[in-house]
Amino acid sequence: MLEPSYHVVYETPVAWGEMDALGHVNNILYFRYFESARALYFQKIGVWDSAEKTGIGMILHSTSCRFRRPLKFPDTISIGTRTIEILNDRFNMKYEIWSDTQKAVVAEGEGLVVCYDYKKNAKCPIPETILEAIKKIEK
């Protein structure tokens, strides 16, 4: 089970087609799992609405993954995500992937997200509405 500090959790089955020739999920898919969890988090904090109304959204600066155990089909995974640090124009997210079959964390990672003004093509401060939404989720 994911630790309780993950208030946003994306669940998905492992698809047969995600496995590689060595019989486990290809490592690139872990980043896609993180992306799906991050997108759900963004939805919950209003990033998509903000981007549509103001042109200010988020852009992934960098990401990393630590692979702990191989993941295989069939399985269902839960990807938890949370914000662990907030700065003026960016925030750092943490991820964990939990395997229902293995009853263990199979990977963990981080992602640095930068607030970006798409009209000006430049980074910018995080809007107050987004900051408040993050604080509310992480409470």
Side-chain angles (χ1 to χ4, degrees), residues 45-106:
I45 64 170
V47 168
W48 307 131
D49 291 337
S50 175
E52 189 175 306
K53 291 175 187 168
T54 66
I56 294 174
M58 302 296 157
I59 193 164
L60 184 64
H61 175 282
S62 55
T63 189
S64 64
C65 183
R66 180 165 186 234
F67 305 98
R68 293 189 164 274
R69 303 171 80 142
L71 189 57
K72 298 179 180 185
F73 173 88
D75 203 344
T76 299
I77 55 174
S78 300
I79 305 96
T81 186
R82 62 188 171 108
T83 297
I84 57 173
E85 178 185 37
I86 303 172
L87 300 173
N88 180 52
D89 62 352
R90 63 193 65 208
F91 55 97
N92 198 13
M93 302 183 81
K94 182 177 177 182
Y95 315 104
E96 276 189 1
I97 301 176
W98 173 267
S99 161
D100 284 350
T101 299
Q102 298 181 53
K103 304 290 186 232
V105 172
V106 296

Side-chain angles (χ1 to χ4, degrees), residues 14-35:
V14 173
W16 171 257
E18 294 173 336
M19 303 231 302
D20 63 17
L22 299 174
H24 57 75
V25 170
N26 187 283
N27 61 359
I28 195 68
L29 273 296
Y30 291 76
F31 292 100
R32 185 169 291 162
Y33 299 148
F34 293 163
E35 177 185 54

